Amino acid sequence: MNHENTDGKSTDTDKTDVLINTTVSDYDTEGLAIKEEGLREGKIFPGLDADYPLRDPSEDPRWAVRTVKIWMWITIFCIVGILVLMILGIWYD
Amino acid sequence: MSHLEIPGISAKWVIGFFGLFHISVAAMAIGMAFIVAVLEIYAYRNKIRRYDLFAKRTQLFHVCIYNIGTINAIGLVFALSGLYPQFWSQIFVHFFWPLIIEEFLFFLLATTLTFHYFFWEHLWGHKKLHITLGVLLIPLFFLQMYIINGLGGFMLTPGFKEGEVSLFKGILGYDFKAMYNPSFLMLQLHRALANISYAGFCLAGWCGIRLYLTDDAKKRDYYEDCGRIAYYIAFAFFLSIPIIGYFYSHVMMKEASQAFWDLMLGRGDILVLGIDTWWLKHFLVAAMLGSSLVYFHRIDKTNVPFSLPKVMVWSIALFYLMFYMAMGMVMTWLFFWLMFIAAIISALISLFLLHSNKNSARALFILLGVISFLTVMLGGYAREASRPRFVDRVSAYDNIYVPEERSPYLMVPVKPGDIPIVKQETTKEAQLIHDRCVDCHTLDVIRDYKDDDWDEVIKTMINYGTELTEDEAKLITEYLKAGKPF
């Protein structure tokens, strides 16, 4: 989804776009090889002319999303806790 | 009591090295967290991939320096514990709870930063979640800086006068009055803005280096573009720093006069190899102003995003001309003229650099990166070098920190009421010296004075504004001549 082109000049870089916009899994050795070859040949410098690669939320690895969500809430909770302590510190010094 | 010593370097410079290294890295890390968040949000809102890429590469750099910085900080803690044990244990007892929170923040930061960088490619379907995680780094870093500035400010302006030890009555290990000391707010503002500005200039400098290393037209466009954004953010935050600096020095004049006069007159450790580090820093600040105005004046022609309209550039120039004139009036006109000349010279150099690189800002980016690095180093150094030393490895801002009074805290649990107030037998003259001579410098200045011409000294001090009646002046002069203790 969301592959609309913002600068409208990518017809001849279609292959490159595909390479950039696909997240190659760490275990997909073939994909990695293609991507690396592209990088080495200097054909792609990821992102220079590429689309902004938003994708469907379901395409994200679930473990990653969960980890980050949990961690984010822990962090927010801790920040709020610290702020409360610091405000209490005005009276209880 | 004897102390550990580092052969050849001396304990003082070991701490100085760790401290400067720490400033150079930590300040950049804080600024980068902010800039990465801005870039990522900007890229997301405008759906521009290259800015997201720049954000990610910046964050990689940030991960690296964050690790180096924290390890260096541990080195600083080790060095202080061994080399200045009394000072260090006192400050740890004094600020125990804030420092525990500080440590906890280190943990939160390291984890959040790591997640943010390494999950970048995993979360393209949850970009907002990823951005939020990055934005959380800002309050985390800010809180961390907020706390450590309480200690930093305390070492400069302890918040109570000589002999007036704050025997806190509340929570042991947290002293409100010491934490929120007189220079706390100014240090906070000055550092918060300087960190972001410094990181921005350094990023632009990095883009400048990359511009030299590539011939690819697209890449050059990319680095020129990203360098400009970093520069723009840096300059925006840079602009208010001199104003805050003015108020900062005003606070110092009142609350840390010795440090203030050391800075103004270039005394003591402010001079390194005969160079006045504080004035040098100000040359560089004026130079950054001159270069930046030329840069933004130039790029307005091409009408690119993140540029300043010409009228804005001229307004800033005019404003700072007036600011430096005001500084000339309150300090010395020499300051105004030297800064003016520094700005003009650097503006000319920048014009030349832009011209000779066919309007590419690569050389200018690198120059500004280097200058901002030097500014941060010199400013950080001058700040610490100006205040009275922790003499004899015992933390002593003269008598503010009286070790005898503190030491019970280090050994046994005591109620504040149980702490004996050390009563010294004082003569009338000594009391007079304690009352009248500490408004502008510490008593150490008087104790360390080797000559015998006390008549002259007292006259000079009265000319400086010391309140003394003739009788009192006579009493003190005789007393000091006799070499009696005070």
Side-chain angles (χ1 to χ4, degrees):
Chain A
M1 72 162 249
N2 213 335
H3 276 254
E4 89 258 3
N5 209 323
T6 42
D7 48 21
K9 48 169 173 177
S10 94
T11 37
D12 55 351
T13 50
D14 272 347
K15 194 190 159 205
T16 330
D17 277 1
V18 170
L19 284 174
I20 296 160
N21 294 334
T22 319
T23 309
V24 180
S25 148
D26 291 352
Y27 308 104
D28 177 2
T29 42
E30 195 190 338
L32 272 180
I34 296 173
K35 193 159 184 165
E36 260 170 31
E37 187 195 339
L39 282 171
R40 205 171 32 250
E41 287 176 11
K43 278 198 207 120
I44 43 172
F45 181 65
L48 278 192
D49 291 325
D51 292 343
Y52 193 79
L54 286 180
R55 63 185 177 202
D56 197 81
S58 62
E59 289 176 57
D60 286 350
R62 275 182 57 192
W63 63 271
V65 176
R66 273 198 199 150
T67 312
V68 168
K69 270 194 183 151
I70 291 171
W71 184 254
M72 185 186 77
W73 283 112
I74 291 177
T75 309
I76 291 175
F77 184 77
C78 290
I79 291 177
V80 171
I82 290 171
L83 286 176
V84 167
L85 277 179
M86 291 177 76
I87 292 168
L88 286 178
I90 298 174
W91 294 283
Y92 301 96
D93 67 325
Chain B
M1 183 185 159
S2 61
H3 300 284
L4 283 175
E5 195 47 276
I6 310 273
I9 312 175
S10 90
K12 177 170 117 179
W13 288 105
V14 168
I15 302 298
F17 169 78
F18 275 119
L20 283 181
F21 195 105
H22 188 68
I23 292 174
S24 75
V25 176
M28 200 190 292
I30 296 174
M32 281 189 175
F34 179 83
I35 292 175
V36 167
V38 169
L39 284 169
E40 203 185 355
I41 293 172
Y42 185 81
Y44 175 71
R45 295 188 56 142
N46 297 287
K47 300 286 179 291
I48 305 175
R49 176 69 204 262
R50 50 160 60 182
Y51 296 150
D52 191 271
L53 183 71
F54 187 48
K56 188 182 170 194
R57 300 176 107 198
T58 304
Q59 199 70 315
L60 174 60
F61 191 67
H62 183 186
V63 170
C64 299
I65 59 167
Y66 185 85
N67 285 313
I68 297 168
T70 42
I71 289 164
N72 170 73
I74 294 172
L76 183 60
V77 170
F78 279 15
L80 280 167
S81 321
L83 298 172
Y84 292 82
Q86 177 138 23
F87 157 70
W88 194 237
S89 50
Q90 279 175 18
I91 215 155
F92 255 71
V93 170
H94 203 83
F95 289 98
F96 183 73
W97 293 114
L99 282 165
I100 290 296
I101 294 181
E102 183 82 357
E103 162 62 17
F104 185 58
L105 283 165
F106 263 116
F107 164 69
L108 289 179
L109 269 167
T111 323
T112 308
L113 180 59
T114 309
F115 279 160
H116 187 249
Y117 176 72
F118 286 99
F119 284 60
W120 205 292
E121 300 301 333
H122 291 309
L123 293 178
W124 280 109
H126 292 79
K127 194 61 178 168
K128 280 187 180 162
L129 175 68
H130 189 254
I131 289 177
T132 311
L133 193 68
V135 167
L136 280 177
L137 289 170
I138 300 174
L140 287 175
F141 266 124
F142 185 78
L143 277 172
Q144 201 174 42
M145 189 186 68
Y146 185 85
I147 292 173
I148 212 67
N149 285 353
L151 273 76
F154 172 77
M155 289 198 285
L156 181 66
T157 54
F160 13 85
K161 263 201 179 176
E162 209 155 328
E164 217 188 277
V165 184
S166 147
L167 290 173
F168 40 87
K169 297 191 185 70
I171 298 170
L172 190 59
Y174 171 64
D175 184 345
F176 184 83
K177 202 176 166 190
M179 174 92 186
Y180 296 96
N181 58 76
S183 65
F184 176 79
L185 180 64
M186 287 304 144
L187 180 61
Q188 207 67 260
L189 293 173
H190 197 267
R191 275 196 181 161
L193 296 167
N195 288 347
I196 297 170
S197 173
Y198 166 55
F201 283 125
C202 288
L203 275 178
W206 178 72
C207 288
I209 294 173
R210 299 304 300 234
L211 277 167
Y212 271 102
L213 298 179
T214 180
D215 289 327
D216 187 298
K218 273 186 187 170
K219 286 190 194 175
R220 295 184 61 149
D221 178 54
Y222 168 76
Y223 285 120
E224 205 79 52
D225 200 22
C226 292
R228 187 180 59 253
I229 295 184
Y231 200 131
Y232 184 91
I233 296 173
F235 188 59
F237 281 87
F238 166 82
L239 278 177
S240 44
I241 302 174
I243 320 282
I244 292 169
Y246 170 75
F247 288 105
Y248 192 0
S249 65
H250 213 76
V251 170
M252 281 179 73
M253 187 165 69
K254 277 221 176 89
E255 306 287 343
S257 347
Q258 185 176 342
F260 177 79
W261 287 109
D262 281 354
L263 286 177
M264 294 297 151
L265 305 172
R267 296 187 307 201
D269 284 335
I270 297 296
L271 288 178
V272 177
L273 307 173
I275 297 169
D276 185 319
T277 48
W278 194 73
W279 278 72
L280 182 59
K281 178 200 130 177
H282 280 277
F283 283 131
L284 297 179
V285 168
M288 285 162 89
L289 203 57
S291 299
S292 303
L293 289 173
V294 162
Y295 174 67
F296 284 108
H297 191 270
R298 261 301 174 95
I299 59 166
D300 181 42
K301 277 178 201 155
T302 47
N303 224 352
V304 286
F306 289 97
S307 63
L308 287 175
K310 282 222 166 55
V311 54
M312 189 79 178
V313 174
W314 285 110
S315 307
I316 294 172
L318 185 65
F319 177 84
Y320 271 93
L321 188 67
M322 279 158 53
F323 173 77
Y324 276 106
M325 280 172 76
M327 292 302 278
M329 273 183 232
V330 295
M331 285 172 69
T332 141
W333 284 105
L334 184 66
F335 186 80
F336 169 75
W337 284 115
L338 289 177
M339 296 310 133
F340 188 68
I341 292 168
I344 295 291
I345 290 179
S346 77
L348 291 175
I349 292 175
S350 306
L351 265 180
F352 168 76
L353 289 179
L354 282 172
H355 188 71
S356 62
N357 284 293
K358 302 192 192 75
N359 265 342
S360 161
R362 55 185 190 177
L364 191 59
F365 285 165
I366 295 175
L367 180 70
L368 263 287
V370 171
I371 293 184
S372 82
F373 173 77
L374 289 175
T375 316
V376 169
M377 292 294 92
L378 290 167
Y381 173 81
R383 180 183 178 281
E384 298 304 325
S386 66
R387 61 175 163 73
R389 304 259 64 80
F390 291 99
V391 187
D392 194 27
R393 307 289 177 82
V394 174
S395 56
Y397 196 106
D398 272 20
N399 290 320
I400 285 162
Y401 245 1
V402 180
E404 289 86 346
E405 287 166 63
R406 289 281 177 228
S407 53
Y409 279 144
L410 303 179
M411 297 175 294
V412 283
V414 283
K415 297 190 201 91
D418 299 340
I419 300 171
I421 308 270
V422 179
K423 280 217 184 72
Q424 285 170 326
E425 290 293 321
T426 48
T427 56
K428 191 172 145 222
E429 290 89 342
Q431 195 55 49
L432 211 51
I433 294 173
H434 278 262
D435 287 346
R436 306 291 169 80
C437 303
V438 295
D439 284 344
C440 312
H441 46 66
T442 60
L443 293 181
D444 276 341
V445 172
I446 309 172
R447 293 195 186 112
D448 293 347
Y449 190 63
K450 296 285 178 298
D451 281 347
D452 221 21
D453 53 343
W454 288 107
D455 304 284
E456 281 305 310
V457 170
I458 299 295
K459 260 185 224 152
T460 317
M461 294 308 133
I462 289 172
N463 285 340
Y464 280 146
T466 313
E467 282 173 37
L468 285 176
T469 64
E470 250 174 62
D471 289 345
E472 288 169 339
K474 221 178 254 165
L475 271 179
I476 291 184
T477 313
E478 292 309 318
Y479 192 77
L480 288 169
K481 271 189 181 166
K484 289 184 188 159
F486 52 89

